[in-house]
Amino acid sequence: MTQSATELCYLTIREASGLLRDGELSPVELTRAYLDRIERLDGTLQAYITVAGDSAMEQARQAEADILRGDYRGSLHGIPIALKDLYDTKGVRTTAGSKIMAERVPSEDSTTAARLKAAGAVLLGKLSMNQFALGGPDPTAGFPMAHNPWNLEHTPGGSSSGSGTAVAAGLCMGALGSCTGGSIRGPASYCSIVGLKATYGRVSRSGVVPLSWTLDHCGPMTWTVEDTAYMLQALAGHDPKDPTTSTAPVPDYSLSLREDVKGLTIGVPRHFFFDPHPSVNSEVVATVEKGLTALQDLGANLVDVTIPSLDQVRAANIVIMLSEAFAFHEKNLKSRPMEFGEMVRARFRIGGLFSSSDYIQAQRVRKMIKRDFADVLKKVDLLVTPTMTQPAPAFEGYDATSTVRGPSFTAPYNVTGLPAISIPCGFTASGLPVGM
């Protein structure tokens, strides 16, 4: 290969995997290019909490030896990836973005980390995140905050902030995020990448620091849908360590990449996602409308649909999420409260104020929402909406209450457990990305 290190970091997983398989590119050369780019740019972008340079190079050398002797494991073999810092990694500290776990070094891998390792992926390091996967940028949390590579004065979204930044800026080929109310799709939208919240139970959460047991999802973040399919292929499947994982067979996700949209019926819930609202940016909606027109031009049929319970989704999501989060963090909230960042500490304490009745009523609303979605999905193949209500907010003047006020375009899919993917759709006039 005569490509520069920068050009190597602009390859997709598909492009790089073909070169690695055919011996035209060395995993060592590719990993070195990413580590050099991280060293050069991450002081500004702050996507990483921990860079595992030595172990990454050791893994790359092993991948090179494996491939040279004909033991090629597939599309992720030799591919440099990184993980949100709540995925346990044996021998590499896992902080969950909090002082509470600042020096924690797991003794074994999470199931997801182990599956990526088995696929031959090279772990570059652990990525920045909003503390304990909740809230927005908080300078009191104890770790540097990731910046949006499209505009450094804006956030990359959260809570998988470093994952969004690292993938978008070419600091890794793919990353894992986690999602409880929008934490994969939000950064994907804000950073113009692809982010998949897989179906509840499709990807194991064993060894992943929880926020909310019944709402948490794991999933990949990449440049392209094709690359996301390759990562999901390695991740998906039943795990005895996680009783919530599905025993349903794992399909070949790459096969669906050959299908087109001609004849698909796309549901558009305009009453919630597209109608004028003070909390919804009109430029975002107009950009996604263009995306819908493109899908229609490609042969899809657009149908307006109504989902009556959408107005109750955000409240149900918040009550369930914060109640379960308080249950997990209660001991440390009482014994080490000042080691939590101010924003997260306040929100976790709110979770302790909800009653058992509040939690049960939220679960009843959840069942109603699931029924409504099930009814709509009998009539359409999929739904298309804006991913987020706004483009990426600026750090200056950031409103910490913005994530709990107004409608949430992402929470419906956590509450229902349905799969949801954000793909790049365009840009605002000021150059900020929009996701669909």
Side-chain angles (χ1 to χ4, degrees):
M1 291 290 292
T2 58
Q3 289 173 296
S4 70
T6 298
E7 288 173 322
L8 291 178
C9 296
Y10 289 158
L11 294 172
T12 65
I13 291 175
R14 181 189 64 78
E15 291 167 340
S17 65
L19 296 169
L20 292 166
R21 180 195 62 225
D22 296 340
E24 296 178 36
L25 175 63
S26 159
V28 174
E29 180 186 4
L30 184 61
T31 300
R32 184 74 267 162
Y34 274 95
L35 290 172
D36 288 347
R37 186 171 173 83
I38 292 166
E39 185 176 4
R40 190 167 69 253
L41 298 180
D42 200 53
T44 300
L45 293 168
Q46 299 183 157
Y48 281 83
I49 288 178
T50 301
V51 178
D54 290 343
S55 63
M57 290 304 297
E58 183 179 339
Q59 291 170 28
R61 285 189 287 270
Q62 183 62 54
E64 181 173 71
D66 292 342
I67 294 170
L68 284 173
R69 70 167 181 269
D71 183 18
Y72 178 68
R73 301 185 199 173
S75 55
L76 295 186
H77 203 171
I79 296 294
I81 56 97
L83 304 178
K84 184 176 181 177
D85 201 24
L86 46 57
Y87 287 87
D88 280 359
T89 41
K90 182 178 180 179
V92 181
R93 72 169 181 160
T94 302
T95 71
S98 172
K99 296 174 186 175
I100 299 283
M101 296 184 176
E103 302 305 324
R104 177 174 171 269
V105 179
S107 58
E108 62 181 79
D109 286 324
S110 60
T111 296
T112 41
R115 287 181 175 177
L116 289 171
K117 184 182 290 184
V122 174
L123 179 64
L124 295 171
K126 309 297 290 296
L127 297 167
S128 174
M129 56 180 285
N130 296 150
Q131 183 182 195
F132 286 126
L134 185 65
D138 183 359
T140 69
F143 287 91
M145 298 178 292
H147 290 256
N148 193 315
W150 294 95
N151 186 324
L152 296 174
E153 296 179 0
H154 288 249
T155 80
S159 62
S160 307
S161 50
S163 302
T165 295
V167 173
L171 302 185
C172 64
M173 280 200 157
L176 292 190
S178 68
C179 191
T180 311
S183 293
I184 287 175
R185 290 153 291 149
S189 178
Y190 288 168
C191 295
S192 194
I193 62 172
V194 176
L196 172 68
K197 182 200 78 63
T199 307
Y200 188 81
R202 183 80 285 188
V203 178
S204 173
R205 298 172 301 168
S206 176
V208 183
V209 179
L211 173 59
S212 170
W213 293 286
T214 69
L215 293 170
D216 288 347
H217 296 67
C218 300
M221 301 169 71
T222 66
W223 272 9
T224 69
V225 173
E226 184 176 25
D227 287 355
T228 288
Y230 294 147
M231 288 195 70
L232 184 62
Q233 198 71 53
L235 297 166
H238 178 66
D239 176 18
K241 295 180 180 180
D242 179 357
T244 69
T245 51
S246 172
T247 57
V250 177
D252 183 344
Y253 292 110
S254 65
L255 292 179
S256 64
L257 299 170
R258 303 171 189 173
E259 301 170 5
D260 62 28
V261 301
K262 189 174 183 180
L264 282 181
T265 300
I266 293 176
V268 187
R270 295 186 185 279
H271 67 102
F272 185 81
F273 293 91
F274 290 84
D275 285 351
H277 188 284
S279 299
V280 179
N281 181 280
S282 59
E283 244 187 309
V284 166
V285 171
T287 303
V288 176
E289 287 280 14
K290 292 178 182 177
L292 284 170
T293 299
L295 291 172
Q296 192 170 34
D297 290 344
L298 290 167
N301 303 309
L302 303 185
V303 178
D304 282 4
V305 297
T306 300
I307 306 173
S309 55
L310 277 171
D311 288 332
Q312 282 80 53
V313 168
R314 168 150 261 171
N317 181 258
I318 289 172
V319 172
I320 295 168
M321 174 174 62
L322 293 184
S323 296
E324 294 181 0
F326 179 79
F328 180 77
H329 291 284
E330 181 177 7
K331 180 180 178 181
N332 283 330
L333 284 166
K334 291 177 177 178
S335 63
R336 308 164 67 182
M338 301 316 294
E339 293 180 55
F340 288 85
E342 293 173 6
M343 187 185 303
V344 166
R345 183 173 63 240
R347 292 192 184 181
F348 283 165
R349 283 174 167 172
I350 290 171
L353 299 176
F354 291 127
S355 67
S356 57
S357 176
D358 294 329
Y359 183 77
I360 294 299
Q361 296 295 359
Q363 294 288 5
R364 292 182 68 202
V365 169
R366 183 184 211 168
K367 288 188 176 181
M368 179 175 66
I369 294 164
K370 291 172 79 170
R371 284 196 301 269
D372 284 352
F373 270 85
D375 287 343
V376 166
L377 289 170
K378 292 174 184 174
K379 305 166 189 172
V380 302
D381 296 303
L382 67 153
L383 303 171
V384 172
T385 72
T387 303
M388 301 296 285
T389 60
Q390 300 281 336
F395 284 105
E396 186 176 354
Y398 179 81
D399 181 1
T401 68
S402 61
T403 57
V404 294
R405 290 187 293 104
S408 170
F409 287 176
T410 52
Y413 306 101
N414 291 86
V415 172
T416 58
L418 290 167
I421 190 168
S422 180
I423 62 172
C425 187
F427 294 83
T428 66
S430 62
L432 291 173
V434 173
M436 179 172 79

